[in-house]
């Protein structure tokens, strides 16, 4: 069931109605039932898959809890704690191995099996494997949960159904945000009272999400598909337009879905974590990933980077390296290794092909350079008398970060790396700037009216982003407006979505991009 | 607590008003978006009539655009008293004809259903000539016209079955919600979205075509009579289902071939099918001589007839229907008053077309002026410009016709540059004696702006601009453009080079000829040879 469907809107209306009609103690059951219906809409096999997964997680967490409980009652607490930690680590490792194996199997299994069968049979073989909806997201959610239980940051959930709800809560299962059990679980089971303000704010946010996805993202997607899909025939500056459009498309698609998810949750009284914070205002690659897909970044930081960075093995390696190559080198090495591991895994999380590996390492290297060589970069700025606090320098940095992001997109939106190379070459060798003014822009899949709608909508998004970056709470400001103004804005946004949205015959809106991960 | 309750009531009332206004705005938006503009044809007009005039029609036409354009239900009523409607759609495949009829039978009990056989030779889902991606539009036209959601769903299920790769995920909401299917029309809004369609666009589900284009001789004689033509089993099955549907509702199915680019082999295939299922079959290609069909004047394009051809086929078909079925004469029945309401518009259309026809047939300047003088001044606007370096000379009869038309023959013969407009019987003239000093007339009326220039100069040419578009032929001598008010188009654009005995002025479009067509691939026709 897609968020962009009338079926979902009806489903949501029924769910919200039932949620607030049922007594508060049982409201979480309504959420569970709704989440199971939502999940099961894509087919029963994936429901079975997620049920089995949840049982594995549930029993592993309970087992770890039991191990710690037993150890805490032991006479020799210190020794018992040490032994318990070892035992719990084994349980954690086993459970995570199963979960990660399932994830790898569903994401890469088809390609691996296909390659193996090709070797055996001597001809290409297409292998189809069930890929449960949201497996990348809920796997990370439960691995994080298990890790928190292992580190005793969280208690094991004794009620399997409540754990299942945490895993497949319907607004977030499609594209995240990746939740933390300790923060989300209590909200899911609390049974929130109806709030008029939350309903209004939630609907506004969801509507804004639909606007970003259906009016902006799907419109720019037409240009991207046209130019990148026909990259052999297009030239120079048109690829720049396509890459910029791709950046806008991806941002509006993903953040639009997040707005829908967070808006829907807000109606139900549940606050999900923010996943975007105006990433194109970032002034560096590192800052970008603190603003883009925030929950993925923090997950990798908490569950991969930090454990790696403080791991005894790495520290030992650092000490050895320091003795041979000096302190600076050792420090750099201890930053670089976990960074590159994180970014390699980030790339693999997005996709299993070589293009995603390159993409992950691309970001990893950039962030590594900016982190390790920060002092040298500062010296260069001083040497060139750059006022790093000036507004123009900040704008340049934002533009630079945007270009870095677009280049990164080039690695993953093309059919393969070879196509990316061809496009890159064309950008630098074919100078057809006149294509910007001779009407070519209206031949890239969008006619003149649609180009203007796209640009106007983007302008509106940009304006609102600037206001929010400056600290404004747009929804609060709208709420403070006189009633006719408020209503006019609500109607305008609603009709903008349903009239200018890219849906329906001949205009099928694409599915959400990040739902494919 | 009272205050809280009061606030709650206040919120509920405010929300109710908000939703009510929202629903109103939504319905208005649907209303304005739903009528697609930029399309020559008001889809679903026939089905709208079917739903409005319940159990009134005795004959229902269905099929492709040949059923829409090649038959006139208004003429059937006016001339023969037959109450008929057309529920066909352009490119309508047979299976969609079936579902259209199913929906039609919910509110009508006709005695006869006439199905045109053109779509029998389509691929199962659509004409082979249709480009990929256009079939959406074709299906939409028919499915949008169907009212019943369950019948829409059946139609969709059939599309999915026949064309699974493309339509696996078609959303039923698309065919149920007006906004869902029509929202993209914001790009092509024009006045028709706000004022609705003119009656002339879609009377009784028909459209009147008024171009007179290249002729296409009946190719029965040209094609191999023994060549095979196959109707697919799928389509045969659909025709059988249509017959059963008609029988179940007490209607007789009649098959027709109401268009001209057919082959003998196809005729045989349809005749065989008709015989197998026990229904009558009429083919215009077998009676073209009998009905006096003129391939030089009666065709609009490809297989469509203009009003000339439509009237001939309609009268033939209508007479046959009257002779073979007990069809009541509805002309005196007040329950059929909408036909009378439509009569005035229809007669205007006929007059406009007849004017065009007669002008096309007028080959000399005298004939042309005589015809022009006989046309209604309120219906036809006349624009004249000269393109010559000296005054033209007129014969006595030509001067008389000019006078009758209201123009000044003295002016046109005294001055080299002469521009004139007769709009709504008001005459405006301008003239200049110096060749390089332009004479000009300009003005505007409802839906029409005009600017006429007469000059003989290296840089400027004489011309007749209507709505900023050049409409004259810019030929030497006298250039005349005739504009039809009801059709909102130019019906004649000619010039007469009075200097030369041989008048080269073309009466028809350049390259006009009559051609024999041969089917070189399924439903693809190419000219075989030129004919006089």
């Amino acid at each position: 069931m897609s968020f962009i469907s009338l079926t979902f809107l009806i489903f949501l209306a029924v769910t919200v109605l039932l949620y607030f009609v049922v007594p508060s103690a049982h409201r979480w059951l309504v959420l569970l039932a709704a989440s199971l219906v939502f999940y099961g809409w894509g087919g029963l096999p994936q429901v079975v898959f997620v049920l089995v997964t949840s049982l594995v997680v549930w029993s592993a967490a309970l087992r770890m809890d039991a191990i710690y409980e037993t150890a805490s009652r032991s006479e020799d607490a210190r020794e018992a704690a040490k032994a318990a930690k070892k035992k719990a680590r084994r349980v954690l490792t086993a459970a995570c191995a199963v979960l990660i194996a399932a994830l790898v199997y569903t994401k890469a299994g088809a390609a691996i099996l296909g390659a193996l069968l090709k070797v055996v049979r001597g001809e290409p073989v297409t292998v189809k494997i069930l890929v449960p909806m949201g497996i990348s997201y809920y796997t990370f959610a439960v691995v994080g949960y298990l890790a928190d239980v292992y580190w005793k940051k969280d208690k094991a959930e004794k009620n399997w159904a409540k754990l299942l709800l945490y895993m497949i809560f319907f607004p977030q299962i499609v594209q995240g945000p990746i939740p933390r059990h300790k923060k989300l679980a209590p909200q899911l089971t609390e049974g929130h009272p109806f709030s008029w303000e939350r309903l209004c704010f939630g609907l506004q946010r969801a509507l804004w999400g639909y606007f970003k996805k259906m009016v902006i993202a799907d419109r720019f997607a037409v240009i991207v598909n046209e130019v990148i899909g026909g990259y052999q025939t297009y030239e120079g500056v048109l690829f720049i337009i396509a890459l910029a459009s791709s950046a806008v498309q991806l941002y509006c698609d993903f953040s639009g879905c997040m707005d829908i998810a967070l808006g829907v949750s807000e109606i139900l009284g549940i606050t999900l974590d923010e996943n975007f914070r105006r990433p194109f205002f970032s002034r560096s690659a590192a800052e970008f990933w603190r603003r883009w897909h925030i929950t993925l970044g923090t997950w990798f930081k908490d569950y991969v980077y930090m454990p790696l960075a403080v791991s005894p093995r790495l520290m030992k390696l650092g000490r050895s390296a320091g003795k041979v190559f000096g302190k600076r080198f050792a420090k750099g090495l201890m930053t670089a290794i976990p960074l590159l591991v994180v970014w390699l895994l980030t790339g693999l999380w997005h996709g299993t092909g070589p293009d995603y590996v390159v993409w992950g390492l691309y970001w990893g290297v950039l962030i590594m350079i900016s982190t390790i060589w920060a002092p040298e970069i500062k010296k260069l700025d001083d040497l060139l008398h750059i006022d790093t606090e000036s507004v123009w320098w900040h704008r340049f940095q934002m533009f630079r970060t945007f270009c870095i992001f677009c280049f990164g997109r080039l690695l993953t939106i093309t059919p393969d790396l070879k196509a990316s190379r061809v496009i890159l070459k064309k950008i630098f060798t074919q100078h057809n700037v006149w294509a910007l003014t001779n009407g070519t822009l209206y031949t890239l899949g969008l006619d003149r009216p649609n180009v203007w709608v796209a640009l106007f909508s983007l302008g509106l998004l940009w304006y609102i982003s600037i206001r929010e970056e400056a600290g404004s709470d747009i929804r609060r400001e709208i709420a403070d407006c006189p009633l006719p103004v408020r209503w006019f804005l609500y109607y305008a946004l609603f009709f903008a979505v349903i009239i200018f949205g890219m849906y329906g015959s001949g205009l099928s809106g694409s599915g959400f991009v990040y739902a494919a991960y | 607590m009272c205050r809280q309750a009061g606030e709650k009531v206040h919120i509920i009332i405010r929300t109710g008003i908000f939703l009510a206004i929202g629903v109103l705005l939504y319905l208005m938006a649907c209303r304005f978006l739903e009528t697609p503009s930029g399309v020559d044809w008001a889809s679903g007009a026939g089905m709208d009539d079917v739903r409005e005039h319940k159990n009134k029609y005795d004959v229902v036409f269905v099929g492709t655009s040949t059923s829409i354009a090649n038959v006139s239900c208004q003429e059937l009523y006016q001339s023969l008293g037959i109450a008929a409607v057309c529920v066909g759609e352009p490119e309508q495949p047979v299976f969609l004809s079936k579902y259209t009829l199913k929906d039609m039978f919910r509110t009508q009990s006709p005695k006869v259903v006439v199905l045109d056989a053109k779509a029998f030779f389509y691929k199962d889902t659509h004409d082979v000539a249709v480009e990929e991606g256009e079939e959406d539009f074709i299906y939409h036209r028919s499915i949008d016209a169907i009212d019943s959601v369950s019948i829409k769903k059946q139609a969709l299920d059939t599309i999915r079955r026949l064309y699974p790769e493309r339509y696996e995920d078609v959303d039923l909401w698309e065919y149920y919600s007006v906004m869902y299917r029509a929202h993209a029309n914001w790009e092509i809004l024009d006045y028709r979205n706000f004022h609705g369609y003119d009656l002339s666009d879609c009377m009784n589900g028909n459209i009147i075509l008024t171009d007179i284009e290249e002729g296409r001789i009946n190719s029965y004689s040209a094609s191999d009579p023994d060549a095979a033509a196959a109707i697919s089993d799928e389509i045969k099955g659909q025709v059988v289902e249509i017959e059963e549907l008609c029988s179940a509702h007490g209607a007789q199915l009649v098959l027709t071939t109401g268009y001209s680019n057919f082959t003998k082999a196809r005729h045989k295939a349809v005749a065989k099918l008709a015989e197998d299922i026990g229904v009558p079959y009429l083919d215009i290609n077998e009676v073209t001589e009998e009905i006096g069909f003129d391939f030089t004047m009666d065709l609009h394009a490809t297989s469509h007839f203009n009003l000339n051809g439509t009237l001939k086929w309609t009268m033939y078909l209508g007479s046959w229907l009257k002779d073979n079925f007990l069809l009541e004469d509805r002309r005196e029945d007040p329950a059929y008053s909408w036909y009378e309401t439509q009569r005035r518009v229809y007669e205007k259309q006929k007059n406009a077309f007849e004017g065009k026809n007669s002008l096309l047939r007028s080959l000399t300047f005298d004939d042309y002026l005589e015809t022009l003088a006989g046309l209604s001044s309120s219906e036809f606007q006349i624009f004249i410009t000269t393109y010559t370096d000296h005054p033209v000379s007129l014969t006595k009869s030509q001067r008389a016709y000019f006078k009758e038309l209201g123009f000044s023959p003295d002016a046109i013969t005294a001055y080299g540059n002469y521009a004139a407009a007769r709009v709504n019987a008001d005459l405006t003239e301008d003239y200049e004696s110096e060749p390089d000093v332009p004479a000009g007339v300009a003005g505007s009326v409802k839906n029409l702006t005009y600017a006429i220039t007469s000059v003989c100069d290296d840089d400027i040419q004489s011309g007749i601009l209507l709505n900023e578009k050049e409409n004259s032929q810019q030929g030497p001598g006298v250039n005349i453009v005739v504009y039809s008010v009801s059709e909102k188009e130019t019906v004649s654009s000619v010039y007469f080079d009075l200097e030369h005995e041989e008048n080269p002025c073309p009466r028809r479009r350049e390259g006009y000829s009559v051609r024999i067509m041969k089917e070189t691939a399924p439903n693809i026709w190419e000219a075989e040879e030129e004919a006089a």
Side-chain angles (χ1 to χ4, degrees), chain A residues 42-113:
Chain A
L44 283 179
Q46 64 179 12
V47 175
V48 172
F49 197 103
V50 84
L51 289 177
V52 170
T53 307
S54 66
L55 282 168
V56 168
V57 173
W58 177 68
S59 48
L62 283 178
R63 180 78 189 110
M64 284 192 284
D65 240 18
I67 290 168
Y68 288 135
E69 183 67 21
T70 307
S72 70
R73 278 190 257 112
S74 171
E75 280 178 14
D76 187 355
R78 205 173 160 184
E79 279 304 313
K82 231 176 155 180
K85 193 106 186 174
K86 244 186 175 170
K87 263 190 189 171
R89 194 183 311 131
R90 281 202 289 269
V91 172
L92 173 70
T93 308
C96 287
V98 168
L99 293 167
I100 300 296
L103 178 62
V104 169
Y105 174 73
T106 53
K107 285 176 82 77
I112 295 169
L113 280 174

Side-chain angles (χ1 to χ4, degrees), chain B residues 510-529:
Chain B
E510 202 176 299
Y512 181 87
S513 62
V514 175
R515 303 182 300 174
I516 295 174
M517 304 304 287
K518 188 176 167 143
E519 193 177 23
T520 53
N523 222 30
I524 305 294
W525 298 80
E526 289 175 3
E528 197 175 61
E529 62 185 67

Side-chain angles (χ1 to χ4, degrees), chain A residues 223-264:
Chain A
I223 298 175
V224 173
N225 294 339
E226 170 64 27
V227 176
I228 302 299
Y231 72 92
Q232 289 101 334
T233 51
Y234 287 101
E235 294 182 350
V237 76
L238 296 177
F239 289 112
I240 297 175
I241 301 291
L243 286 175
S245 300
S246 152
V248 171
Q249 178 219 345
L250 187 62
Y251 170 66
C252 291
D253 189 295
F254 198 3
S255 67
C257 179
M258 289 302 99
D259 287 329
I260 296 169
L262 269 67
V264 164

Side-chain angles (χ1 to χ4, degrees), chain A residues 10 42 97 122 156 161 192 208 300 306 384 388-389 416 436 439 446 496-497 517:
Chain A
I10 293 172
H192 306 271
W208 180 238
F300 271 114
M306 293 306 292
L384 295 173
T388 54
E389 294 310 311
D416 49 44
L436 295 173
L446 288 182
V497 171
Y517 295 131

Side-chain angles (χ1 to χ4, degrees), chain A residues 6-7 10 196 219 447 449-450 453 483 487 490-491 495 498-501 503-507, chain B residues 11 14-15 17-19 21-22 25-26 29 33 136 140 173-174 177 179-180 183-184 186-187:
Chain A
L6 287 169
T7 314
I10 293 172
W196 189 252
R219 226 170 219 92
D447 54 20
N450 275 293
V453 167
L483 184 125
W487 284 15
Y490 298 154
Y491 289 137
F495 283 103
I498 65 170
I499 292 174
F500 297 117
Y503 64 95
S505 174
L507 294 171
Chain B
I11 288 173
R14 220 170 51 199
T15 306
I17 295 172
F18 178 78
L19 290 173
I21 295 174
L25 289 171
Y26 177 84
L33 287 167
D136 272 340
H140 260 293
W173 291 109
E174 190 163 330
S177 161
M179 184 59 74
Y180 204 101
H183 70 97
W186 66 267
E187 280 192 68

Side-chain angles (χ1 to χ4, degrees), chain A residues 289-417:
Chain A
W289 284 97
R290 288 195 295 273
R291 289 174 177 252
W292 176 286
H293 207 171
I294 298 168
T295 55
L296 182 72
T298 53
W299 191 95
F300 271 114
K301 187 189 84 178
D302 291 344
Y303 300 110
V304 178
Y305 184 87
M306 293 306 292
L308 262 179
V310 302
S311 71
R313 283 207 181 124
L314 187 66
M315 300 198 80
K316 192 179 173 187
L317 177 67
R319 280 194 293 274
S320 309
K323 284 179 190 161
V324 177
F325 300 105
K327 254 188 183 170
R328 180 95 201 273
F329 180 85
K331 197 178 170 194
L333 188 71
M334 287 177 64
T335 302
I337 290 176
L339 252 181
L340 289 175
V341 168
V342 161
W343 281 101
L344 179 66
L345 291 175
T346 305
L348 288 172
W349 181 89
H350 283 83
T352 49
D355 44 351
Y356 283 100
V357 172
V358 173
W359 176 86
L361 291 173
Y362 163 76
W363 280 106
V365 166
L366 278 173
I367 293 171
M368 188 182 74
I369 289 170
S370 63
T371 309
I372 293 173
W373 280 289
E376 281 76 11
I377 294 169
K378 174 93 178 54
K379 277 186 191 154
L380 185 63
D381 292 339
D382 292 337
L383 191 70
L384 295 173
H385 301 291
I386 295 170
D387 179 4
T388 54
E389 294 310 311
S390 75
V391 167
W392 286 104
W393 180 247
H394 289 178
R395 284 180 186 159
F396 164 73
Q397 287 178 308
M398 289 182 211
F399 175 72
R400 183 186 63 191
T401 310
F402 181 75
C403 292
I404 289 170
F405 178 79
C406 290
F407 182 80
R409 283 293 285 155
L410 181 58
L411 296 169
T412 55
I413 55 168
T414 51
D416 49 44
L417 289 172

